[in-house]
Amino acid sequence: ILSSIFNIVLFEECTNQWSMSRPMLPLILINPAFYEEYQRKLIASVAPEKQVKMQEAFQKLMDGIEKNLEPKNRDKFTQNVTTFRHQAQ
């Protein structure tokens, strides 16, 4: 599910990022190993000249994010998803 949501956010026209970002954080928090593996595979799959940019985008995605689902934390994550989408493209 998490990889499908990431693919929509990154590669498709996503008109409502809020609705996409809301399930992402719980899925990342519940299975951080999967998130890290997905991140590694996605970075490896992009062109070499874009890998650093993609890696930085993933790092910024979790900037300021705590390991909880408090509304303030979820709102910050949603903002980060918007930034992530722009940086990763």
Side-chain angles (χ1 to χ4, degrees):
I1 294 174
L2 182 59
S3 59
S4 297
I5 296 170
F6 265 108
N7 290 338
I8 291 169
V9 168
L10 288 171
F11 305 116
E12 295 182 19
E13 186 62 36
C14 182
T15 57
N16 192 349
Q17 290 178 25
W18 184 89
S19 64
M20 290 285 105
S21 71
R22 291 323 242 192
M24 288 174 77
L25 182 58
L27 291 170
I28 289 170
L29 295 178
I30 199 166
N31 196 348
F34 177 83
Y35 169 68
E36 290 172 16
E37 180 66 14
Y38 174 80
Q39 177 176 279
R40 187 188 62 72
K41 287 181 179 179
L42 185 63
I43 291 168
S45 74
V46 298
E49 64 272 8
K50 293 185 176 185
Q51 288 180 357
V52 171
K53 184 178 177 182
M54 182 68 79
Q55 188 172 17
E56 290 171 353
F58 269 108
Q59 289 171 346
K60 290 180 181 178
L61 177 62
M62 298 306 287
D63 276 355
I65 302 302
E66 299 175 12
K67 293 181 179 181
N68 66 55
L69 297 175
E70 297 291 326
K72 182 179 176 183
N73 196 47
R74 293 181 81 143
D75 290 343
K76 172 69 175 157
F77 182 77
T78 298
Q79 292 172 355
N80 287 3
V81 168
T82 301
T83 303
F84 170 77
R85 177 178 165 88
H86 292 288
Q87 290 179 333
Q89 291 182 341

